[in-house]
């Protein structure tokens, strides 16, 4: 099989193909992020990197059996400004269409975020297949709704594997992952969040539920915390914290044991909770984020933590893609 992956990132599609033991003769990747490329080449050194998708000449490639990709989503996302096809990043979708029409692969797969119906309809018309909505929460401890367009035959998953946050947490982590005293005081200093931290989604997620969608945030990680034993013996007292949408009622905001979707820019959409009883909170480690994305442990351990968080936030949930790609083996 010859595969062309556009906007390849850290090559989650290649992980899925490898785990399914689908033989790949050539895997071509269009990617410009040097850190994502470094991780891909460390794990799959045979990957043929093509660089900028806009510069790909389809006549230079052999027959392509599978075209995959997740064009940049920032212009479509409900978490962003929803500029849709006017956003230069979203316009890259048409590069996918260009190569799909030129190469005429046997199979194709496109992934993207939840978006306005008008945008979905444009993509659907261009690709000629109906979209399928799959939430990664069925395969992982992460609430990550995504839309997939593909002609690969597969059964739409409906059963939740029952994986929750505590199942993917490391038993012990370095102190650097814990919220520092200054950040803790931004919670506890009064009813209103310290403006310095208001751009962060400082939501604490229960370990018996799902974590929010991993994002490639401004600071390199998805803003969200988990309760954890305090490394310094400090105790937090429960308080009601004010958000732009009102007050946390003191309860845990989770429907059916699932946490709400978290974004990197809309901090005001999330309620906040603090814990007492010797608990504090910390951010997730890169390894835990790999587990949330069902990426092999240590796969991204070739670049800085900042870059690991970023590419994991941008990547695919591997087990979802594997489920879809099983159709290639039937």
């Amino acid at each position: 099989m010859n595969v062309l992956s556009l906007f390849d990132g850290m090559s989650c599609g290649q992980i899925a193909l490898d785990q399914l033991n689908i033989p790949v003769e050539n895997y071509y990747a269009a990617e410009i992020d040097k850190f994502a490329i470094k991780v891909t080449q460390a794990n799959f050194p045979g990957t043929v990197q093509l660089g900028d998708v806009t510069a790909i000449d389809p006549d230079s490639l052999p027959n392509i059996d599978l075209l995959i990709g997740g064009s940049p989503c920032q212009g479509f996302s409900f978490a962003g400004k929803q500029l849709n096809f006017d956003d230069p990043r979203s316009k890259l979708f048409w590069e996918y269409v260009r190569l799909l029409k030129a190469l005429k692969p046997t199979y194709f797969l496109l992934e993207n975020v939840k978006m306005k119906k008008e945008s979905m309809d444009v993509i659907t018309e261009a690709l000629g297949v109906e979209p399928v909505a799959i939430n990664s929460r069925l395969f992982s401890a992460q609430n990550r709704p995504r839309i997939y367009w593909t002609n690969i035959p597969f059964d739409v998953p409906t059963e939740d594997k029952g994986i929750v946050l505590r199942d993917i947490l490391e038993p012990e982590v370095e102190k650097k992952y814990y919220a520092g005293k200054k950040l803790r005081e931004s919670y506890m200093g009064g009813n209103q969040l310290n403006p310095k931290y208001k751009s962060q989604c400082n939501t604490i997620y229960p370990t018996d539920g799902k974590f929010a969608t991993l994002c490639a945030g401004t600071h390199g990680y998805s803003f969200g915390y988990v309760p954890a034993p305090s490394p310094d013996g400090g105790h937090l007292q429960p308080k009601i914290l004010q958000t732009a949408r009102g007050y946390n009622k003191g309860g845990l905001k989770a429907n059916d044991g699932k946490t709400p979707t978290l974004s990197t820019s809309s901090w005001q959409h999330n309620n906040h909770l603090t814990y007492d009883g010797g608990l504090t909170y910390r951010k997730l480690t890169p390894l835990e984020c790999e587990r949330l994305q069902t990426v092999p442990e240590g796969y991204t351990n070739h670049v800085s933590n900042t870059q690991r968080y970023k590419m994991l936030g941008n990547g695919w949930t591997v087990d979802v893609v594997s489920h879809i790609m099983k159709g290639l083996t039937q």
Side-chain angles (χ1 to χ4, degrees):
M1 176 177 285
N2 288 320
V3 180
L4 173 60
S5 175
L6 307 181
F7 327 105
D8 186 61
M10 61 179 186
S11 217
C12 290
Q14 193 163 193
I15 300 173
L17 290 165
D18 183 64
Q19 291 181 348
L20 292 169
N21 293 315
I22 295 176
V24 175
E25 183 175 356
N26 295 294
Y27 188 97
Y28 300 95
E31 180 55 56
I32 59 174
D33 186 294
K34 65 180 182 180
F35 301 105
I37 292 172
K38 182 177 181 179
V39 166
T40 295
Q41 297 306 126
N43 289 279
F44 298 102
T47 303
V48 181
Q49 294 288 344
L50 300 179
D52 188 341
V53 65
T54 64
I56 295 178
D57 177 5
D59 293 332
S60 67
L61 297 173
N63 291 332
I64 296 297
D65 303 292
L66 173 64
L67 175 68
I68 62 177
S71 56
C73 65
Q74 290 90 342
F76 293 124
S77 175
F78 281 109
K81 297 181 180 179
Q82 299 185 51
L83 300 175
N84 299 322
F85 293 101
D86 293 329
D87 188 296
R89 295 164 298 185
S90 299
K91 287 182 178 179
L92 289 172
F93 161 72
W94 297 111
E95 291 297 319
Y96 184 97
V97 174
R98 173 178 73 88
L99 292 167
L100 176 65
K101 290 181 177 180
L103 295 168
K104 297 179 174 57
T106 306
Y107 297 105
F108 65 87
L109 168 66
L110 177 78
E111 177 264 8
N112 220 301
V113 295
K114 288 178 65 177
M115 62 186 74
K116 290 181 178 180
K117 184 178 184 302
E118 308 91 88
S119 298
M120 285 183 59
D121 289 345
V122 171
I123 295 175
T124 298
E125 182 177 358
L127 299 183
V129 294
E130 290 297 317
V132 176
I134 303 176
N135 195 323
S136 298
R137 62 189 276 169
L138 298 177
F139 297 84
S140 166
Q142 178 188 187
N143 186 51
R144 190 181 186 88
R146 289 295 183 265
I147 310 296
Y148 299 85
W149 287 263
T150 186
N151 66 344
I152 300 173
F154 75 100
D155 296 324
V156 178
T158 57
E159 183 178 352
D160 192 324
K161 291 186 176 181
I163 302 171
V164 295
L165 192 52
R166 63 169 169 259
D167 297 325
I168 63 92
L169 296 179
E170 296 187 66
E172 295 182 5
V173 303
E174 296 178 61
K175 192 171 181 179
K176 67 182 181 181
Y177 294 107
Y178 285 82
K181 182 175 183 293
K182 195 169 184 179
L183 181 56
R184 293 207 302 269
E185 288 176 349
S186 76
Y187 277 100
M188 307 309 297
N191 278 347
Q192 189 151 7
L193 287 173
N194 185 327
K196 181 177 180 180
Y197 299 103
K198 72 178 182 179
S199 63
Q200 300 185 18
C201 282
N202 291 328
T203 302
I204 301 175
Y205 289 92
T207 59
D208 60 352
K210 306 282 188 179
F211 197 73
T213 303
L214 290 179
C215 303
T218 305
H219 297 276
Y221 57 86
S222 181
F223 301 131
Y225 296 84
V226 294
S230 175
D232 55 11
H235 290 256
L236 296 178
Q237 299 301 316
K239 283 182 181 286
I240 303 300
L241 298 178
Q242 186 180 26
T243 70
R245 283 195 166 184
Y247 290 91
N248 182 326
K249 302 302 182 183
L252 214 50
K253 300 298 182 181
N255 297 322
D256 301 324
K258 316 292 186 182
T259 58
T261 300
L262 179 70
S263 71
T264 58
S265 57
S266 54
W267 65 276
Q268 70 273 21
H269 297 319
N270 299 280
N271 289 304
H272 301 75
L273 189 68
T274 55
Y275 289 79
D276 59 1
L279 292 174
T280 182
Y281 44 93
R282 64 172 177 84
K283 65 181 181 180
L284 297 179
T285 67
L287 185 144
E288 290 166 341
C289 291
E290 288 175 337
R291 291 172 178 174
L292 286 181
Q293 286 288 57
T294 62
V295 168
E297 293 187 11
Y299 181 87
T300 62
N301 193 22
H302 303 280
V303 292
S304 69
N305 280 1
T306 297
Q307 295 301 327
R308 294 178 74 182
Y309 285 123
K310 179 181 177 182
M311 65 184 67
L312 286 162
N314 281 331
W316 287 350
T317 305
V318 171
D319 282 4
V320 175
V321 180
S322 293
H323 179 88
I324 296 171
M325 288 185 175
K326 283 180 183 177
L328 297 171
T329 66
Q330 299 174 355

